[in-house]
Structure formats: structure tokens, C-alpha cells
Amino acid sequence: MIPIQNLYYLLCYAWNRLPEQEQWLTSEATSFHRPLELLGRVLLMGTRRLLRQGLRQAYAEREEELGELRGRVLLETSLSRDLLRRGRAVCTYDELGPDTPFLRVVLGALAQVSRARQVSASLRQELRAVMRLFPADLPPTPLSSHALRAVRRTRPVGHEALLLNVCELLHSSALPEPAADGRTRFMDFRRDERLMAQLFEAFVRNFYRLEQRRFRVLSETISWQAAAEEPGDLSMLPAMITDTTLEAPDRKIILDTKYYRAALRPRYDRQRLISPHLYQLYAYLQNQKKPPSQHLEGILLYPAATREIDLRYTLGGHPVRVVTLDLNQPWPGIAADLLKLIE
């Protein structure tokens, strides 16, 4: 299980933020015992910063029964209520204010975490206190896939993007069945291999993007070196998209991350590599188009769980390394191991 402090670093890089940008939390992370406490504290401190900077305002559409005309009159609704005879009408108009989908979602996240028994009573009180700093008429939006997608489409950046990432992770770790008292229950998302695989992949890619300058770092779509009698048949081939590609004029590394409990599986009383992972990396290497002067290699990277390994092969003429990364060691060791991997 990844220690909470290392989980904090993993999330920072997965969300494309240097830990130094959130230095206020680095020393606190060791005191948390559950991932939910970490997320709740990030949500709290991020919201406080948002309030200090001033809430971003936007135009929101209002619909209201008024005694004077404003904006657009909803004639059918007004007639059905017999309002015009009384000198009133239902109008829709745009009003500038802090009522935005983003702030409603943040309020919804604050409300859910503030009711969770899995966080300390002091943190719940702090979350409720910061909620009272929002306008009283701003309603919270409960976290849902639909609400989060709507906010994501607005393409928030900077600090708002960080808070949206927290909200999305909270939603992913919320259990579908509430507690008996109606409170939202959250699981330890470190046990969700699918979710952790996504975070681990983004963590590794963004770590290299932020912490080294030799390679250009990207996720690359590789074209099949294939032909077909019917050109349209080529579109039926599966897409090849790398987790992380590190590219320099003289060297190119295809790095595939796999978040599995073990890098080896028992077969016929022997431990062997997971064949689909190796086949996938081999396909990436064999379908590369590169300059003759560029050295091409592949890396399969696993988190170290039951056993640490460091295996080196030459496959199809390309060096391939299968290696584990110990996420239980102190953070400086993790960072050093990642940088050493691409030396």
C-alpha cells in the first residue's frame, strides 16, 4: 500500500503540478491515515485559496416571476399562470455572479466530505466553516459524472483544475450505497487497480515532463507498418497509443506503465513475465519509424509489490528493460530511481 505522503506526490504529478506549488501540504501529509483525509485537506485549502483570490464570476440564466419586464418574457408560461392581467410576467435574464457550475460542484464536494465519518471531526468542522463563506443562495451540486463532465468541458486551468481533479477523484472513490444515515461512504482508492493504473501512468509521464529537460515527453499514437488488399481494412486494426514516449534526437524510449500487484505470474510452477504486456511493448517497438541515428528502446515499469525485478533483454534488435519502482520508499528515492531509469 502506498504511504499517504507518497500518494500526495503521486497525485501532484498526475495532476501536472509540482509538489512545491502546494508546499503547504507536504509536511502535513505524513499525519493523515486515510486517502480521504488527504483529499479533504487539499479540497479545504484549495477552496480557501479560491476564496482569498475572489470567486470568478460568470453570467447565469435566471427564470423569475417579476412585476417589471427584464430580459426575455416567457409568454406561454405567463399566460398559463394568468400573470399578465395582474401586471406580472415570467422572465429569463442573464445575471453576473458567482453562480457557476464549477463552484456548485466544489460546494457539493465540500458537503459530501463534511458528512463523511471517515475524516476527523476537526476537518469536518473546518469544511463546514468554509462552506459558510460562499453566497447563501449558491446551491451545491452533488458529485456526479454528468456534473463533472459539464465542468470539465469549460477547461478550467491552474488552481481550478486542481480542485476539479480532487472532485473527480472523490466521485470515483465514493461508494454507490450510502451509509444507514444517508452519508456518503468512500473507499480507499489505493485498492482500485483500474483507477490507480490511470494515476500511475499520468504520474510517471508528468514526472518526466516536469523534472528533466533532455527528452520531449508525450503520449504517442503509433501507426501499424501494415498493408491490406482493401485500404479500409486498415482502420480495423487496434490503436497503438503509448503511455509515455521520451524522445531526443539520438534516443527514444517507449515506456509502458503497468499497475499490477506483481510483475510476474506463476505458470507451470515457475514465475514468468505477463505475456500480453511484453507483446504490446514489442509491437510498439517493431512498428516505429525513426531516423537511423536514433537509438530505440523499451521499458515496462511496474510498482514493486511482492518482488523487485530488473530484467534486461534484446527483443527484435531493441533493448528492453522490465523493472519495478518501489513506491514505499521515501519520496527522494522514488524521484532518484525514475531519473536513473532514463540515464
Side-chain angles (χ1 to χ4, degrees), residues 31-104:
S31 64
F32 301 135
H33 302 291
R34 300 184 182 93
L36 183 59
E37 292 178 313
L38 174 64
L39 294 180
R41 181 61 62 176
V42 175
L43 181 65
L44 174 67
M45 301 303 289
T47 304
R48 284 176 175 169
R49 182 184 298 182
L50 201 67
L51 289 164
R52 285 197 302 269
Q53 294 172 347
L55 299 179
R56 184 165 58 88
Q57 298 192 340
Y59 283 100
E61 187 178 75
R62 303 284 190 190
E63 181 178 317
E64 191 176 359
E65 182 183 317
L66 300 172
E68 58 184 18
L69 296 183
R70 183 177 179 184
R72 182 167 59 89
V73 176
L74 297 181
L75 190 57
E76 185 177 346
T77 305
S78 300
L79 289 172
S80 67
R81 298 183 189 177
D82 196 22
L83 296 176
L84 298 181
R85 188 169 55 84
R86 291 181 280 143
R88 301 182 65 80
V90 176
C91 302
T92 61
Y93 57 91
D94 291 334
E95 184 176 64
L96 183 64
D99 188 354
T100 63
F102 168 74
L103 289 180
R104 289 189 179 202

Side-chain angles (χ1 to χ4, degrees), residues 32-332:
F32 301 135
H33 302 291
R34 300 184 182 93
L36 183 59
E37 292 178 313
L38 174 64
L39 294 180
R41 181 61 62 176
V42 175
L43 181 65
L44 174 67
M45 301 303 289
T47 304
R48 284 176 175 169
R49 182 184 298 182
L50 201 67
L51 289 164
R52 285 197 302 269
Q53 294 172 347
L55 299 179
R56 184 165 58 88
Q57 298 192 340
Y59 283 100
E61 187 178 75
R62 303 284 190 190
E63 181 178 317
E64 191 176 359
E65 182 183 317
L66 300 172
E68 58 184 18
L69 296 183
R70 183 177 179 184
R72 182 167 59 89
V73 176
L74 297 181
L75 190 57
E76 185 177 346
T77 305
S78 300
L79 289 172
S80 67
R81 298 183 189 177
D82 196 22
L83 296 176
L84 298 181
R85 188 169 55 84
R86 291 181 280 143
R88 301 182 65 80
V90 176
C91 302
T92 61
Y93 57 91
D94 291 334
E95 184 176 64
L96 183 64
D99 188 354
T100 63
F102 168 74
L103 289 180
R104 289 189 179 202
V105 161
V106 170
L107 264 176
L110 289 166
Q112 283 187 233
V113 180
S114 70
R115 295 193 300 268
R117 293 293 186 189
Q118 296 150 290
V119 299
S120 65
S122 60
L123 179 54
R124 290 201 300 269
Q125 291 173 359
E126 289 183 89
L127 290 166
R128 290 165 187 162
V130 81
M131 289 176 66
R132 290 193 288 269
L133 300 177
F134 283 83
D137 60 344
L138 184 61
T141 297
L143 296 182
S144 68
S145 299
H146 174 75
L148 291 166
R149 280 197 301 269
V151 177
R152 180 60 71 184
R153 283 195 292 269
T154 66
R155 298 184 179 181
V157 296
H159 200 62
E160 289 190 0
L162 171 67
L163 283 174
L164 181 57
N165 286 329
V166 174
C167 292
E168 289 175 334
L169 189 50
L170 285 169
H171 177 60
S172 298
S173 56
L175 293 172
E177 293 296 329
D181 56 3
R183 300 172 187 269
T184 302
R185 295 184 301 161
F186 295 87
M187 67 175 180
D188 185 338
F189 63 83
R190 292 174 296 178
R191 301 181 185 278
D192 186 335
E193 285 195 357
R194 181 192 61 80
L195 178 59
M196 288 302 299
Q198 296 171 355
L199 291 173
F200 186 57
E201 175 188 332
F203 154 66
V204 171
R205 182 169 56 248
N206 287 332
F207 176 88
Y208 286 126
R209 185 175 288 148
L210 294 168
E211 297 293 354
Q212 59 80 43
R213 292 291 176 266
R214 181 185 175 191
F215 295 96
R216 183 171 70 100
V217 181
L218 66 153
S219 178
E220 175 189 18
T221 300
I222 300 172
S223 299
W224 286 89
Q225 303 303 301
E229 292 185 6
E230 297 292 334
D233 293 348
L234 294 174
S235 64
M236 304 297 290
L237 291 171
M240 291 191 290
I241 304 174
T242 65
D243 291 346
T244 302
T245 296
L246 299 101
E247 187 168 24
D250 62 332
R251 189 180 177 202
K252 187 172 186 177
I253 305 171
I254 306 298
L255 193 155
D256 224 30
T257 54
K258 301 296 182 185
Y259 195 88
Y260 277 65
R261 295 186 183 276
L264 301 174
R265 284 181 178 170
R267 184 174 176 82
Y268 302 122
D269 298 324
R270 294 185 61 185
Q271 294 289 320
R272 297 185 184 274
L273 293 170
I274 302 173
S275 53
H277 298 174
L278 206 57
Y279 296 156
Q280 182 183 32
L281 181 61
Y282 183 74
Y284 289 170
L285 295 171
Q286 291 302 107
N287 285 277
Q288 280 286 318
K289 284 184 176 180
K290 64 179 187 64
S293 60
Q294 192 179 59
H295 180 74
L296 179 64
E297 58 194 275
I299 298 175
L300 272 178
L301 181 63
Y302 296 85
T306 57
R307 175 181 171 184
E308 292 187 15
I309 63 171
D310 189 353
L311 307 173
R312 299 167 190 262
Y313 304 97
T314 299
L315 300 178
H318 305 298
V320 170
R321 188 175 177 187
V322 183
V323 63
T324 54
L325 176 67
D326 183 5
L327 296 176
N328 286 299
Q329 63 179 311
W331 169 251

